[in-house]
């Protein structure tokens, strides 16, 4: 069986560390929005979380470690426009 760079224990550890860092950042975003209480803008909070996920370098590390396309945003959907996949 041929081993790929993304199969190495180091790559997997780096991907796990990246995922943990991203989870921590998302938790901070959520806590920041929840602290606004009555001034909470749910739509803005949602879009900030989506943006954080789409642009996170940690997601690229995780995808590479899994052998996935690092630029994939999701599977094509019936409502996707053009080259958008989500």
């Amino acid at each position: 069986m041929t081993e790929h760079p993304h199969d190495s224990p180091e790559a997997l550890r780096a991907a796990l560390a990246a995922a943990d860092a991203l989870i921590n950042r998302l938790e901070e975003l959520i806590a920041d929005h929840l602290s606004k209480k009555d001034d909470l803008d749910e739509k803005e909070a949602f879009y900030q979380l989506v943006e954080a996920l789409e642009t996170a370098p940690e997601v690229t590390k995780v995808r590479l470690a899994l052998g996935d396309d690092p630029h994939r945003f999701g599977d094509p959907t019936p409502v996707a426009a053009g080259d958008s996949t989500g």
Side-chain angles (χ1 to χ4, degrees):
M1 183 164 93
T2 303
E3 186 172 315
H4 300 283
H6 61 268
D7 292 335
S8 74
E10 295 81 19
L12 295 177
R13 275 194 281 289
L16 287 171
D20 185 53
L22 178 58
I23 290 166
N24 289 336
R25 211 163 71 240
L26 293 175
E27 288 173 340
E28 289 172 8
L29 271 171
I30 292 167
D32 181 55
H33 279 285
L34 290 176
S35 71
K36 296 176 183 177
K37 299 188 187 207
D38 293 336
D39 294 329
L40 174 64
D41 182 342
E42 291 178 10
K43 185 176 179 180
E44 177 65 21
F46 172 78
Y47 283 109
Q48 281 187 7
L49 288 173
V50 170
E51 180 181 17
L53 286 169
E54 287 181 348
T55 61
E58 295 91 349
V59 171
T60 300
K61 287 181 184 179
V62 170
R63 288 181 178 149
L64 286 172
L66 293 172
D68 291 340
D69 179 354
H71 304 291
R72 178 183 59 83
F73 288 121
D75 296 325
T77 66
V79 294
D83 60 322
S84 174
T85 59

